[in-house]
Amino acid sequence: RGGERLTSLGAYTVTAYCSCEKCCGKRNRPGGKVYGAAGVELVEGVSVAGWLPFGTEIVIDGHEYTVQDRTAKWVREKYGGRIIDIYFDDHKAALEWGKRQLEVWEVA
């Protein structure tokens, strides 16, 4: 990576979600846009939910993401805080991603 340093955060459970009611419950989607807890519009291929500080850039399986949303507290507790949830526009794509154990790297 061009001058950036990657620091391993260790193995995380990595799951996927979308904005549907099944993944997120009933939510207000103003103008059809989906906003994360950081107040920014979520974008497939960019946005993840987790408990790292908002704006933290991470690399999972060679792809860079930004923490822009939060996982539910009960989910965080279930996985000891070691969970990252990747945002997808489509529920089917999120289901196809499934649940994986992967190393997560922080971009410094």
Side-chain angles (χ1 to χ4, degrees):
R1 299 188 48 92
E4 297 174 323
R5 199 177 84 238
L6 298 178
T7 302
S8 175
L9 300 177
Y12 273 68
T13 298
V14 181
T15 58
Y17 74 113
C18 72
S19 65
C20 79
E21 190 172 326
K22 188 170 186 174
C23 288
C24 293
K26 282 194 172 187
R27 299 276 189 245
N28 181 18
R29 305 289 185 217
K33 294 184 179 185
V34 181
Y35 292 91
V40 298
E41 185 176 356
L42 299 181
V43 176
E44 182 174 331
V46 175
S47 306
V48 296
W51 283 88
L52 297 165
F54 290 134
T56 300
E57 294 179 355
I58 59 175
V59 174
I60 300 170
D61 204 24
H63 188 87
E64 191 168 325
Y65 299 94
T66 303
V67 178
Q68 298 177 329
D69 203 2
R70 289 283 183 244
T71 50
K73 184 178 179 186
W74 71 269
V75 174
R76 176 185 178 206
E77 291 171 353
K78 178 179 177 178
Y79 292 97
R82 301 188 72 74
I83 179 124
I84 296 290
D85 212 4
I86 298 174
Y87 177 77
F88 285 83
D89 289 330
D90 177 74
H91 187 73
K92 183 178 178 196
L95 284 177
E96 287 173 0
W97 171 268
K99 180 168 97 172
R100 306 174 188 186
Q101 289 292 327
L102 296 168
E103 188 165 9
V104 174
W105 301 82
E106 183 175 3
V107 178

